[in-house]
Amino acid sequence: MSKAKWLIAALPGFKRQPLKKIDADAPSLLKLMQRWRDEAGQAGRTIKRIAVAYEAAGDGFWLARWLRAGDIEAYAIHPASVAVSREHRRVKTDSSTRSF
């Protein structure tokens, strides 16, 4: 979780897939989610549930508690548990891996 900017995406309930970068501020996040909920309502879609998932380490778990207090499902995922493709790993360049 960045301390400067957060990248927010909304998935179900929209014809488009909104993507927005906001300042790292919980009230701004709540305001954006409410705006998207209102847009979906105007389009004839009812949003019954909002779930948030994000990668958080260190002090990032406060946001999950804050969102849950506002009746929003929140899942803070530890970075070590996020699956990453090993296909594009960087090649080791130290001399111990060289064979002559």
Side-chain angles (χ1 to χ4, degrees):
M1 220 169 90
S2 170
K3 293 183 180 183
K5 297 281 185 184
W6 293 341
L7 185 62
I8 314 300
L11 297 176
F14 286 92
K15 287 184 180 178
R16 60 186 177 84
Q17 299 298 314
L19 191 63
K20 180 88 172 159
K21 188 176 277 191
I22 64 170
D23 291 329
D25 177 48
S28 295
L29 173 63
L30 197 57
K31 184 178 177 181
L32 178 63
M33 288 190 296
Q34 185 59 47
R35 189 182 94 206
W36 284 347
R37 179 184 286 209
D38 294 343
E39 286 179 17
Q42 290 172 355
R45 293 175 172 81
T46 303
I47 304 297
K48 297 178 183 176
R49 164 183 165 228
I50 295 177
V52 176
Y54 62 95
E55 181 181 341
D59 64 346
F61 295 95
W62 66 269
L63 182 59
R65 289 189 297 271
W66 188 81
L67 290 168
R68 287 179 188 143
D71 291 330
I72 295 173
E73 285 182 52
Y75 303 94
I77 303 165
H78 193 279
S81 67
V82 176
V84 177
S85 170
R86 298 174 61 94
E87 183 177 324
H88 299 290
R89 286 184 48 182
R90 294 180 63 177
V91 177
K92 291 178 84 175
T93 59
D94 63 338
S95 61
S96 65
T97 60
R98 292 184 188 166
S99 59
F100 294 96

